[in-house]
Amino acid sequence: MTDADPVRLYRTVRLIRRFEERAIDLVRAGTIVGGIHPYLGQEGIAAGVCAALRGTDLVTGTHRGHGHVLAKGADPARMMAELCGRETGLNRGRGGSMHAADFSVGVLGANAIVGAAGAILTGAVWARRRRGEDVVGATFFGDGAVNEGMLLEAFNLAALWRVPVLFVCENNGYATTMPVDGAVAGTITGRAEAFGMPAAVVDGQDPQQVHAAAAAAVGRMRDGGGPELVEARTYRFDAHHTFEHVVRLDYRPPQEVTAGRSRDPVRIQGGRLSDAERAAVDAEVEATLDAAVAYALASPEPDPAGALDHLYASGLNARSGGA
Amino acid sequence: MPRLSYRKALTRALADELARDERVFLLGEDIRVAASHVTAGLFTRFGPERVLDTPLSEQAFTSFATGAALAGMRPVVEFQIPSLLFLVFEQIVNHAHKFPLMTGGQCAAPVTYLVPGSGSRTGWAGQHSDHPYSLFAHVGIVTAVPATPTDAYGLLVSAIRHDDPVVVFAPAGALDVREDVDFAALAPVPLGRGVVRRAGDDVTVVAVGHLVHDALAVAEELAGQVSVEVFDPRTLYPFDLDGLCASVARTGRLVVVDDSNRSCGIAAEIIASIVERVPLAAPPRRVTRPDGAVLPFAPGLDRAVQPGRAALTAAIHLVTKDGT
Ligand SMILES: Cc1ncc(C[n+]2csc(CCOP(=O)(O)OP(=O)(O)O)c2C)c(N)n1
Ligand SMILES: [Mg+2]
């Protein structure tokens, strides 16, 4: 059984929403260096999909990856510390926003190369199952990624070898500034169908609908089914990346942004709770994030002497670059 | 005199070449809106036939450019991040580079690959901070790394006019450099010709790309103690060995500072080529990224892995002490 409890789903979308808003504040303050790709508006997808997974199931995320990592169960405090480049971060400050990973909860990492993670997840799920573990996986990617050959090659491998991977396309209408219509010949679901994969379109703004579709697919996969694709239609509420807060890029008509923002997954899911329930979750999330930010800011920065720690898992010592 | 920024110099080179030669066209991601700023205004001026916004299909559009070049065009491909060159290494090295020889001279593949923002952009971490120019020099693709706005303009123009594939790296660390220029004097800069940026007598420092500015700053700091000559090769392949030999023959000492990984990086090639030809008064030194470097995210770690002024200063002291 998976967890479709409306309060839990609300808690997850609210956590991601407020986490992102606080992270944006920290970008503006200069505490988070390099900026972030905000997940605002898309929270329902990570929340819905991850609620259909077990702790032992595997996921990979994207450059817009905070939601995936949090929804799968990573500690928000250690995630915030990672974004702030601290030693206590999930990746000891070595990864940052685009590489946040927590293997202990099945997050094999956000990934900064569009379209690259699907094949990695497919191999990981295949390997776990060969070792007799009853796991499935979900890999998140954007509408831009469906034009990357390597992702389509992953579709083929997963389908050919019947690896139970849920391919989750977060179609937010744009790859940076490129609209889907200008980039995708055919359809996204048609790409999956070409490999014999079942594919469905869901309303990505409704966490419960996403969850229902993901849970159905995951159920079939646990019963021996092969990979499936879900295309979650969504809208990115904020910038492609926080650099757009500084440099305005002109590509989304203002009316479209207003309309897109009117369907808010946090409000949609919140509407299913009583006022008292919602207030209790909101207060709990705020307390969690107050603690997360305080933890991150109080944590030490890594010692530059360890800049190449973990470069080689074998322990091979790299020659330094100095004279 | 008007100020020209490095970024605007690239824009101007693209605009001038688009205007001069019908065969030139641009393709890349988000170049219509000019997310990298380099193509600003070009879509409006030259239209969608000359400025093509691509889907995220780097391998296909890189080879699409090869095909167009084989058919007589002069494509310029912009890559948003340096690591995308790993993704399209096959398309460039195994196809564009090999076609002329493999076809017995039936064709040329004049494609320019432009990477605005190569190397570390602090905070972009492991998969967005590479500086893979040595790889291209190794396989023998013409590789330019301009340090100044004037050279950014001139080398990009020469790249577009060149009959073979050329990769132009515009280091993130140089993109904000500005220079007083006489626009009328902007001209192509020949590929394969270096330049002495600062004359000196005691040691020659070869600096690549943005590190030219660090080398100049270090040279100023050391003025009075050590007389440092700064040599900017501008093009890494082909390399201006004659120009560098002339410098080192006078100073007798050599330091190379290069933002590549150490093993098989361009610094190794430069040093080997010099010691084959010029007797040195002291063992040469290089300042690079470490072997196998992956840039960690945290700013202090990111900086620790890149070659910096302190390490360069130390290297200069080492070579000027040895053998004196
Ligand atoms: C292979 C690759 N190409 C280009 C980029 C630069 N880039 C980062 S995100 C992005 C847009 C991705 O669009 P999409 O897949 O729709 O995801 P979204 O950003 O909309 O969530 C681009 C072009 C990259 N990181 N990797
Ligand atoms: Mg998108």
Side-chain angles (χ1 to χ4, degrees), chain A residues 37 42 62-64 112-114 141-145 148 150 170 172 174-176 236 240, chain B residues 29-30 56 58 80-81 84 87 128:
Chain A
H37 298 83
Q42 305 184 199
T62 66
H63 55 285
R64 198 176 306 291
I113 299 301
V114 172
F141 52 89
D143 49 281
E148 292 285 3
M150 54 195 159
E170 304 183 320
N172 61 10
Y174 291 85
T176 314
R236 154 162 72 67
H240 169 68
Chain B
E29 291 159 357
D30 306 296
L56 306 196
E58 292 83 6
Q80 287 185 344
I81 47 179
L84 296 182
L87 192 56
H128 277 39

PDB file of all heavy atoms in Angstrom, chain A residues 37 42 62-64 112-114 141-145 148 150 170 172 174-176 236 240, chain B residues 29-30 56 58 80-81 84 87 128, ligand 1:
ATOM      1  N   HIS A  37      17.398  26.313  -9.579  1.00  0.00           N
ATOM      2  CA  HIS A  37      16.275  26.203 -10.514  1.00  0.00           C
ATOM      3  C   HIS A  37      15.043  25.917  -9.656  1.00  0.00           C
ATOM      4  O   HIS A  37      14.862  24.776  -9.216  1.00  0.00           O
ATOM      5  CB  HIS A  37      16.486  25.048 -11.486  1.00  0.00           C
ATOM      6  CG  HIS A  37      17.690  25.174 -12.375  1.00  0.00           C
ATOM      7  ND1 HIS A  37      18.960  24.813 -11.960  1.00  0.00           N
ATOM      8  CD2 HIS A  37      17.815  25.591 -13.661  1.00  0.00           C
ATOM      9  CE1 HIS A  37      19.807  25.017 -12.963  1.00  0.00           C
ATOM     10  NE2 HIS A  37      19.150  25.475 -14.003  1.00  0.00           N
ATOM     11  N   GLN A  42       5.519  23.048  -9.376  1.00  0.00           N
ATOM     12  CA  GLN A  42       5.604  21.657  -9.839  1.00  0.00           C
ATOM     13  C   GLN A  42       5.612  20.660  -8.675  1.00  0.00           C
ATOM     14  O   GLN A  42       5.806  19.455  -8.873  1.00  0.00           O
ATOM     15  CB  GLN A  42       6.866  21.476 -10.704  1.00  0.00           C
ATOM     16  CG  GLN A  42       6.915  22.469 -11.855  1.00  0.00           C
ATOM     17  CD  GLN A  42       8.082  22.314 -12.827  1.00  0.00           C
ATOM     18  OE1 GLN A  42       8.391  23.245 -13.545  1.00  0.00           O
ATOM     19  NE2 GLN A  42       8.740  21.160 -12.839  1.00  0.00           N
ATOM     20  N   THR A  62      16.438  15.992 -11.361  1.00  0.00           N
ATOM     21  CA  THR A  62      16.944  16.864 -12.429  1.00  0.00           C
ATOM     22  C   THR A  62      17.662  18.061 -11.822  1.00  0.00           C
ATOM     23  O   THR A  62      17.768  18.183 -10.603  1.00  0.00           O
ATOM     24  CB  THR A  62      15.781  17.419 -13.275  1.00  0.00           C
ATOM     25  OG1 THR A  62      14.996  18.292 -12.444  1.00  0.00           O
ATOM     26  CG2 THR A  62      14.897  16.314 -13.812  1.00  0.00           C
ATOM     27  N   HIS A  63      18.075  18.971 -12.705  1.00  0.00           N
ATOM     28  CA  HIS A  63      18.613  20.265 -12.279  1.00  0.00           C
ATOM     29  C   HIS A  63      17.583  21.020 -11.428  1.00  0.00           C
ATOM     30  O   HIS A  63      17.941  21.847 -10.623  1.00  0.00           O
ATOM     31  CB  HIS A  63      18.972  21.097 -13.511  1.00  0.00           C
ATOM     32  CG  HIS A  63      17.820  21.252 -14.461  1.00  0.00           C
ATOM     33  ND1 HIS A  63      17.404  20.233 -15.286  1.00  0.00           N
ATOM     34  CD2 HIS A  63      16.957  22.276 -14.673  1.00  0.00           C
ATOM     35  CE1 HIS A  63      16.345  20.627 -15.983  1.00  0.00           C
ATOM     36  NE2 HIS A  63      16.050  21.861 -15.626  1.00  0.00           N
ATOM     37  N   ARG A  64      16.285  20.760 -11.661  1.00  0.00           N
ATOM     38  CA  ARG A  64      15.221  21.384 -10.868  1.00  0.00           C
ATOM     39  C   ARG A  64      14.821  20.356  -9.815  1.00  0.00           C
ATOM     40  O   ARG A  64      13.683  19.906  -9.773  1.00  0.00           O
ATOM     41  CB  ARG A  64      14.043  21.725 -11.797  1.00  0.00           C
ATOM     42  CG  ARG A  64      13.059  22.741 -11.238  1.00  0.00           C
ATOM     43  CD  ARG A  64      11.972  23.095 -12.272  1.00  0.00           C
ATOM     44  NE  ARG A  64      12.538  23.533 -13.529  1.00  0.00           N
ATOM     45  CZ  ARG A  64      13.198  24.686 -13.706  1.00  0.00           C
ATOM     46  NH1 ARG A  64      13.317  25.524 -12.704  1.00  0.00           N
ATOM     47  NH2 ARG A  64      13.712  24.988 -14.867  1.00  0.00           N
ATOM     48  N   ALA A 112      22.622  17.286 -13.429  1.00  0.00           N
ATOM     49  CA  ALA A 112      22.665  18.578 -14.115  1.00  0.00           C
ATOM     50  C   ALA A 112      22.727  18.447 -15.623  1.00  0.00           C
ATOM     51  O   ALA A 112      22.733  19.446 -16.324  1.00  0.00           O
ATOM     52  CB  ALA A 112      23.866  19.386 -13.623  1.00  0.00           C
ATOM     53  N   ILE A 113      22.784  17.227 -16.117  1.00  0.00           N
ATOM     54  CA  ILE A 113      22.819  17.043 -17.570  1.00  0.00           C
ATOM     55  C   ILE A 113      21.449  16.531 -18.010  1.00  0.00           C
ATOM     56  O   ILE A 113      21.022  15.433 -17.625  1.00  0.00           O
ATOM     57  CB  ILE A 113      23.948  16.078 -17.975  1.00  0.00           C
ATOM     58  CG1 ILE A 113      25.305  16.646 -17.545  1.00  0.00           C
ATOM     59  CG2 ILE A 113      23.923  15.825 -19.480  1.00  0.00           C
ATOM     60  CD1 ILE A 113      25.665  18.018 -18.124  1.00  0.00           C
ATOM     61  N   VAL A 114      20.785  17.348 -18.792  1.00  0.00           N
ATOM     62  CA  VAL A 114      19.407  17.056 -19.170  1.00  0.00           C
ATOM     63  C   VAL A 114      19.334  15.730 -19.943  1.00  0.00           C
ATOM     64  O   VAL A 114      20.070  15.534 -20.914  1.00  0.00           O
ATOM     65  CB  VAL A 114      18.845  18.208 -20.031  1.00  0.00           C
ATOM     66  CG1 VAL A 114      17.485  17.842 -20.593  1.00  0.00           C
ATOM     67  CG2 VAL A 114      18.770  19.487 -19.211  1.00  0.00           C
ATOM     68  N   PHE A 141      12.189  13.940 -15.358  1.00  0.00           N
ATOM     69  CA  PHE A 141      12.876  14.729 -16.387  1.00  0.00           C
ATOM     70  C   PHE A 141      11.880  15.725 -16.966  1.00  0.00           C
ATOM     71  O   PHE A 141      10.667  15.574 -16.789  1.00  0.00           O
ATOM     72  CB  PHE A 141      13.456  13.822 -17.481  1.00  0.00           C
ATOM     73  CG  PHE A 141      12.456  12.865 -18.075  1.00  0.00           C
ATOM     74  CD1 PHE A 141      11.684  13.230 -19.165  1.00  0.00           C
ATOM     75  CD2 PHE A 141      12.278  11.597 -17.526  1.00  0.00           C
ATOM     76  CE1 PHE A 141      10.752  12.353 -19.700  1.00  0.00           C
ATOM     77  CE2 PHE A 141      11.343  10.718 -18.053  1.00  0.00           C
ATOM     78  CZ  PHE A 141      10.572  11.084 -19.136  1.00  0.00           C
ATOM     79  N   GLY A 142      12.388  16.722 -17.660  1.00  0.00           N
ATOM     80  CA  GLY A 142      11.510  17.764 -18.198  1.00  0.00           C
ATOM     81  C   GLY A 142      11.099  17.490 -19.633  1.00  0.00           C
ATOM     82  O   GLY A 142      11.536  16.521 -20.255  1.00  0.00           O
ATOM     83  N   ASP A 143      10.274  18.389 -20.166  1.00  0.00           N
ATOM     84  CA  ASP A 143       9.862  18.280 -21.566  1.00  0.00           C
ATOM     85  C   ASP A 143      11.042  18.483 -22.510  1.00  0.00           C
ATOM     86  O   ASP A 143      11.031  17.992 -23.638  1.00  0.00           O
ATOM     87  CB  ASP A 143       8.778  19.318 -21.874  1.00  0.00           C
ATOM     88  CG  ASP A 143       9.174  20.705 -21.378  1.00  0.00           C
ATOM     89  OD1 ASP A 143       9.039  20.957 -20.171  1.00  0.00           O
ATOM     90  OD2 ASP A 143       9.649  21.516 -22.193  1.00  0.00           O
ATOM     91  N   GLY A 144      12.076  19.189 -22.038  1.00  0.00           N
ATOM     92  CA  GLY A 144      13.259  19.371 -22.886  1.00  0.00           C
ATOM     93  C   GLY A 144      14.004  18.059 -23.087  1.00  0.00           C
ATOM     94  O   GLY A 144      14.569  17.801 -24.149  1.00  0.00           O
ATOM     95  N   ALA A 145      13.985  17.221 -22.061  1.00  0.00           N
ATOM     96  CA  ALA A 145      14.777  15.993 -22.084  1.00  0.00           C
ATOM     97  C   ALA A 145      14.261  14.971 -23.089  1.00  0.00           C
ATOM     98  O   ALA A 145      15.007  14.086 -23.510  1.00  0.00           O
ATOM     99  CB  ALA A 145      14.805  15.379 -20.681  1.00  0.00           C
ATOM    100  N   GLU A 148      16.401  14.405 -26.090  1.00  0.00           N
ATOM    101  CA  GLU A 148      17.769  13.913 -25.935  1.00  0.00           C
ATOM    102  C   GLU A 148      17.802  12.430 -26.314  1.00  0.00           C
ATOM    103  O   GLU A 148      17.054  11.614 -25.750  1.00  0.00           O
ATOM    104  CB  GLU A 148      18.242  14.058 -24.482  1.00  0.00           C
ATOM    105  CG  GLU A 148      18.425  15.498 -24.021  1.00  0.00           C
ATOM    106  CD  GLU A 148      19.682  16.170 -24.589  1.00  0.00           C
ATOM    107  OE1 GLU A 148      20.409  15.554 -25.390  1.00  0.00           O
ATOM    108  OE2 GLU A 148      19.915  17.330 -24.206  1.00  0.00           O
ATOM    109  N   MET A 150      19.834  10.140 -25.544  1.00  0.00           N
ATOM    110  CA  MET A 150      20.173   9.180 -24.473  1.00  0.00           C
ATOM    111  C   MET A 150      18.950   8.800 -23.646  1.00  0.00           C
ATOM    112  O   MET A 150      18.855   7.672 -23.160  1.00  0.00           O
ATOM    113  CB  MET A 150      21.298   9.711 -23.593  1.00  0.00           C
ATOM    114  CG  MET A 150      21.046  11.076 -23.019  1.00  0.00           C
ATOM    115  SD  MET A 150      22.581  11.787 -22.385  1.00  0.00           S
ATOM    116  CE  MET A 150      22.149  13.526 -22.372  1.00  0.00           C
ATOM    117  N   GLU A 170       7.982  15.884 -16.491  1.00  0.00           N
ATOM    118  CA  GLU A 170       7.384  17.104 -15.946  1.00  0.00           C
ATOM    119  C   GLU A 170       7.302  18.108 -17.086  1.00  0.00           C
ATOM    120  O   GLU A 170       8.281  18.801 -17.368  1.00  0.00           O
ATOM    121  CB  GLU A 170       8.244  17.651 -14.812  1.00  0.00           C
ATOM    122  CG  GLU A 170       8.480  16.625 -13.713  1.00  0.00           C
ATOM    123  CD  GLU A 170       9.278  17.168 -12.545  1.00  0.00           C
ATOM    124  OE1 GLU A 170      10.235  17.934 -12.758  1.00  0.00           O
ATOM    125  OE2 GLU A 170       8.934  16.821 -11.405  1.00  0.00           O
ATOM    126  N   ASN A 172       6.456  21.290 -18.224  1.00  0.00           N
ATOM    127  CA  ASN A 172       6.089  22.643 -17.766  1.00  0.00           C
ATOM    128  C   ASN A 172       6.035  23.629 -18.924  1.00  0.00           C
ATOM    129  O   ASN A 172       6.022  24.836 -18.726  1.00  0.00           O
ATOM    130  CB  ASN A 172       7.050  23.118 -16.659  1.00  0.00           C
ATOM    131  CG  ASN A 172       8.488  23.199 -17.143  1.00  0.00           C
ATOM    132  OD1 ASN A 172       8.759  23.078 -18.333  1.00  0.00           O
ATOM    133  ND2 ASN A 172       9.416  23.396 -16.219  1.00  0.00           N
ATOM    134  N   TYR A 174       8.121  24.537 -21.182  1.00  0.00           N
ATOM    135  CA  TYR A 174       9.331  25.187 -21.680  1.00  0.00           C
ATOM    136  C   TYR A 174      10.581  24.424 -21.278  1.00  0.00           C
ATOM    137  O   TYR A 174      10.662  23.884 -20.176  1.00  0.00           O
ATOM    138  CB  TYR A 174       9.481  26.610 -21.101  1.00  0.00           C
ATOM    139  CG  TYR A 174       8.444  27.563 -21.622  1.00  0.00           C
ATOM    140  CD1 TYR A 174       7.191  27.639 -21.018  1.00  0.00           C
ATOM    141  CD2 TYR A 174       8.702  28.357 -22.733  1.00  0.00           C
ATOM    142  CE1 TYR A 174       6.220  28.500 -21.511  1.00  0.00           C
ATOM    143  CE2 TYR A 174       7.732  29.223 -23.224  1.00  0.00           C
ATOM    144  CZ  TYR A 174       6.497  29.286 -22.617  1.00  0.00           C
ATOM    145  OH  TYR A 174       5.544  30.128 -23.108  1.00  0.00           O
ATOM    146  N   ALA A 175      11.547  24.430 -22.165  1.00  0.00           N
ATOM    147  CA  ALA A 175      12.917  24.070 -21.808  1.00  0.00           C
ATOM    148  C   ALA A 175      13.678  25.392 -21.802  1.00  0.00           C
ATOM    149  O   ALA A 175      13.937  25.959 -22.868  1.00  0.00           O
ATOM    150  CB  ALA A 175      13.495  23.105 -22.830  1.00  0.00           C
ATOM    151  N   THR A 176      13.975  25.880 -20.627  1.00  0.00           N
ATOM    152  CA  THR A 176      14.485  27.249 -20.463  1.00  0.00           C
ATOM    153  C   THR A 176      13.535  28.224 -21.176  1.00  0.00           C
ATOM    154  O   THR A 176      12.466  28.505 -20.647  1.00  0.00           O
ATOM    155  CB  THR A 176      15.950  27.396 -20.931  1.00  0.00           C
ATOM    156  OG1 THR A 176      16.712  26.300 -20.415  1.00  0.00           O
ATOM    157  CG2 THR A 176      16.584  28.676 -20.383  1.00  0.00           C
ATOM    158  N   ARG A 236       5.753  26.073 -14.543  1.00  0.00           N
ATOM    159  CA  ARG A 236       6.804  26.589 -13.673  1.00  0.00           C
ATOM    160  C   ARG A 236       6.402  27.995 -13.272  1.00  0.00           C
ATOM    161  O   ARG A 236       6.235  28.860 -14.123  1.00  0.00           O
ATOM    162  CB  ARG A 236       8.120  26.531 -14.448  1.00  0.00           C
ATOM    163  CG  ARG A 236       9.175  27.484 -14.050  1.00  0.00           C
ATOM    164  CD  ARG A 236      10.528  27.045 -14.565  1.00  0.00           C
ATOM    165  NE  ARG A 236      10.766  27.171 -16.000  1.00  0.00           N
ATOM    166  CZ  ARG A 236      10.857  28.316 -16.668  1.00  0.00           C
ATOM    167  NH1 ARG A 236      10.707  29.462 -16.057  1.00  0.00           N
ATOM    168  NH2 ARG A 236      11.100  28.319 -17.956  1.00  0.00           N
ATOM    169  N   HIS A 240      13.314  30.114 -14.831  1.00  0.00           N
ATOM    170  CA  HIS A 240      14.034  28.873 -15.144  1.00  0.00           C
ATOM    171  C   HIS A 240      15.119  28.661 -14.093  1.00  0.00           C
ATOM    172  O   HIS A 240      15.275  27.579 -13.548  1.00  0.00           O
ATOM    173  CB  HIS A 240      14.663  28.947 -16.533  1.00  0.00           C
ATOM    174  CG  HIS A 240      15.625  27.824 -16.787  1.00  0.00           C
ATOM    175  ND1 HIS A 240      15.212  26.521 -16.904  1.00  0.00           N
ATOM    176  CD2 HIS A 240      16.986  27.801 -16.869  1.00  0.00           C
ATOM    177  CE1 HIS A 240      16.278  25.743 -17.079  1.00  0.00           C
ATOM    178  NE2 HIS A 240      17.355  26.496 -17.054  1.00  0.00           N
TER     179      HIS A 240
ATOM    180  N   GLU B  29      20.961  26.461 -28.127  1.00  0.00           N
ATOM    181  CA  GLU B  29      19.810  26.458 -27.220  1.00  0.00           C
ATOM    182  C   GLU B  29      19.576  27.866 -26.661  1.00  0.00           C
ATOM    183  O   GLU B  29      20.526  28.497 -26.181  1.00  0.00           O
ATOM    184  CB  GLU B  29      20.055  25.445 -26.092  1.00  0.00           C
ATOM    185  CG  GLU B  29      20.026  24.024 -26.652  1.00  0.00           C
ATOM    186  CD  GLU B  29      20.724  22.989 -25.777  1.00  0.00           C
ATOM    187  OE1 GLU B  29      21.305  23.353 -24.737  1.00  0.00           O
ATOM    188  OE2 GLU B  29      20.686  21.801 -26.159  1.00  0.00           O
ATOM    189  N   ASP B  30      18.355  28.325 -26.738  1.00  0.00           N
ATOM    190  CA  ASP B  30      17.959  29.622 -26.184  1.00  0.00           C
ATOM    191  C   ASP B  30      18.728  30.781 -26.797  1.00  0.00           C
ATOM    192  O   ASP B  30      18.906  31.815 -26.154  1.00  0.00           O
ATOM    193  CB  ASP B  30      18.126  29.629 -24.651  1.00  0.00           C
ATOM    194  CG  ASP B  30      17.394  28.463 -24.001  1.00  0.00           C
ATOM    195  OD1 ASP B  30      16.161  28.432 -24.106  1.00  0.00           O
ATOM    196  OD2 ASP B  30      18.054  27.576 -23.422  1.00  0.00           O
ATOM    197  N   LEU B  56      16.651  20.389 -27.230  1.00  0.00           N
ATOM    198  CA  LEU B  56      17.793  19.863 -26.479  1.00  0.00           C
ATOM    199  C   LEU B  56      18.206  18.538 -27.104  1.00  0.00           C
ATOM    200  O   LEU B  56      17.839  17.461 -26.633  1.00  0.00           O
ATOM    201  CB  LEU B  56      17.445  19.676 -25.002  1.00  0.00           C
ATOM    202  CG  LEU B  56      16.870  20.893 -24.259  1.00  0.00           C
ATOM    203  CD1 LEU B  56      16.941  20.690 -22.761  1.00  0.00           C
ATOM    204  CD2 LEU B  56      17.574  22.159 -24.646  1.00  0.00           C
ATOM    205  N   GLU B  58      21.726  17.867 -28.472  1.00  0.00           N
ATOM    206  CA  GLU B  58      23.056  18.369 -28.818  1.00  0.00           C
ATOM    207  C   GLU B  58      23.763  17.489 -29.833  1.00  0.00           C
ATOM    208  O   GLU B  58      24.434  17.978 -30.744  1.00  0.00           O
ATOM    209  CB  GLU B  58      23.937  18.505 -27.568  1.00  0.00           C
ATOM    210  CG  GLU B  58      23.486  19.596 -26.603  1.00  0.00           C
ATOM    211  CD  GLU B  58      22.374  19.148 -25.673  1.00  0.00           C
ATOM    212  OE1 GLU B  58      22.016  17.951 -25.691  1.00  0.00           O
ATOM    213  OE2 GLU B  58      21.859  19.997 -24.926  1.00  0.00           O
ATOM    214  N   GLN B  80      25.685  25.991 -24.175  1.00  0.00           N
ATOM    215  CA  GLN B  80      25.430  26.749 -22.948  1.00  0.00           C
ATOM    216  C   GLN B  80      26.425  26.434 -21.841  1.00  0.00           C
ATOM    217  O   GLN B  80      26.673  27.262 -20.981  1.00  0.00           O
ATOM    218  CB  GLN B  80      24.028  26.424 -22.419  1.00  0.00           C
ATOM    219  CG  GLN B  80      22.935  27.034 -23.237  1.00  0.00           C
ATOM    220  CD  GLN B  80      21.564  26.808 -22.636  1.00  0.00           C
ATOM    221  OE1 GLN B  80      21.382  25.960 -21.769  1.00  0.00           O
ATOM    222  NE2 GLN B  80      20.599  27.571 -23.101  1.00  0.00           N
ATOM    223  N   ILE B  81      26.883  25.203 -21.832  1.00  0.00           N
ATOM    224  CA  ILE B  81      27.776  24.808 -20.739  1.00  0.00           C
ATOM    225  C   ILE B  81      28.922  23.980 -21.306  1.00  0.00           C
ATOM    226  O   ILE B  81      28.738  23.236 -22.271  1.00  0.00           O
ATOM    227  CB  ILE B  81      27.029  24.027 -19.633  1.00  0.00           C
ATOM    228  CG1 ILE B  81      26.147  22.943 -20.225  1.00  0.00           C
ATOM    229  CG2 ILE B  81      26.219  24.959 -18.769  1.00  0.00           C
ATOM    230  CD1 ILE B  81      25.401  22.139 -19.186  1.00  0.00           C
ATOM    231  N   LEU B  84      28.828  20.162 -22.144  1.00  0.00           N
ATOM    232  CA  LEU B  84      28.121  19.641 -23.315  1.00  0.00           C
ATOM    233  C   LEU B  84      29.104  19.181 -24.382  1.00  0.00           C
ATOM    234  O   LEU B  84      28.775  18.355 -25.224  1.00  0.00           O
ATOM    235  CB  LEU B  84      27.160  20.688 -23.877  1.00  0.00           C
ATOM    236  CG  LEU B  84      26.018  21.072 -22.939  1.00  0.00           C
ATOM    237  CD1 LEU B  84      25.095  22.082 -23.594  1.00  0.00           C
ATOM    238  CD2 LEU B  84      25.224  19.847 -22.511  1.00  0.00           C
ATOM    239  N   LEU B  87      29.430  15.596 -24.349  1.00  0.00           N
ATOM    240  CA  LEU B  87      28.298  14.928 -24.992  1.00  0.00           C
ATOM    241  C   LEU B  87      28.489  14.865 -26.503  1.00  0.00           C
ATOM    242  O   LEU B  87      28.108  13.890 -27.140  1.00  0.00           O
ATOM    243  CB  LEU B  87      27.031  15.724 -24.641  1.00  0.00           C
ATOM    244  CG  LEU B  87      25.673  15.132 -24.928  1.00  0.00           C
ATOM    245  CD1 LEU B  87      25.512  13.784 -24.265  1.00  0.00           C
ATOM    246  CD2 LEU B  87      24.592  16.082 -24.434  1.00  0.00           C
ATOM    247  N   HIS B 128      29.082  21.326 -14.446  1.00  0.00           N
ATOM    248  CA  HIS B 128      28.994  22.545 -15.257  1.00  0.00           C
ATOM    249  C   HIS B 128      30.266  23.396 -15.196  1.00  0.00           C
ATOM    250  O   HIS B 128      30.228  24.565 -15.549  1.00  0.00           O
ATOM    251  CB  HIS B 128      27.820  23.416 -14.778  1.00  0.00           C
ATOM    252  CG  HIS B 128      26.478  23.017 -15.330  1.00  0.00           C
ATOM    253  ND1 HIS B 128      26.093  21.717 -15.491  1.00  0.00           N
ATOM    254  CD2 HIS B 128      25.431  23.763 -15.756  1.00  0.00           C
ATOM    255  CE1 HIS B 128      24.853  21.686 -15.990  1.00  0.00           C
ATOM    256  NE2 HIS B 128      24.434  22.907 -16.152  1.00  0.00           N
TER     257      HIS B 128
HETATM  258  C1  LIG C   1      22.293  18.013 -22.067  1.00  0.00           C
HETATM  259  C2  LIG C   1      22.050  19.387 -21.566  1.00  0.00           C
HETATM  260  N1  LIG C   1      21.763  20.362 -22.441  1.00  0.00           N
HETATM  261  C3  LIG C   1      21.552  21.632 -22.014  1.00  0.00           C
HETATM  262  C4  LIG C   1      21.635  21.931 -20.682  1.00  0.00           C
HETATM  263  C5  LIG C   1      21.379  23.351 -20.187  1.00  0.00           C
HETATM  264  N2  LIG C   1      20.013  23.354 -19.597  1.00  0.00           N
HETATM  265  C6  LIG C   1      19.824  23.165 -18.281  1.00  0.00           C
HETATM  266  S1  LIG C   1      18.213  23.050 -17.895  1.00  0.00           S
HETATM  267  C7  LIG C   1      17.742  23.260 -19.480  1.00  0.00           C
HETATM  268  C8  LIG C   1      16.298  23.227 -19.856  1.00  0.00           C
HETATM  269  C9  LIG C   1      15.675  21.951 -19.476  1.00  0.00           C
HETATM  270  O1  LIG C   1      14.333  21.943 -19.843  1.00  0.00           O
HETATM  271  P1  LIG C   1      13.369  20.815 -19.333  1.00  0.00           P
HETATM  272  O2  LIG C   1      13.963  19.471 -19.595  1.00  0.00           O
HETATM  273  O3  LIG C   1      12.037  21.080 -19.925  1.00  0.00           O
HETATM  274  O4  LIG C   1      13.326  21.002 -17.756  1.00  0.00           O
HETATM  275  P2  LIG C   1      12.835  22.289 -16.958  1.00  0.00           P
HETATM  276  O5  LIG C   1      13.997  23.184 -16.822  1.00  0.00           O
HETATM  277  O6  LIG C   1      11.723  22.908 -17.710  1.00  0.00           O
HETATM  278  O7  LIG C   1      12.407  21.760 -15.635  1.00  0.00           O
HETATM  279  C10 LIG C   1      18.851  23.436 -20.294  1.00  0.00           C
HETATM  280  C11 LIG C   1      18.801  23.686 -21.745  1.00  0.00           C
HETATM  281  C12 LIG C   1      21.963  20.883 -19.796  1.00  0.00           C
HETATM  282  N3  LIG C   1      22.090  21.096 -18.485  1.00  0.00           N
HETATM  283  N4  LIG C   1      22.153  19.628 -20.256  1.00  0.00           N
END
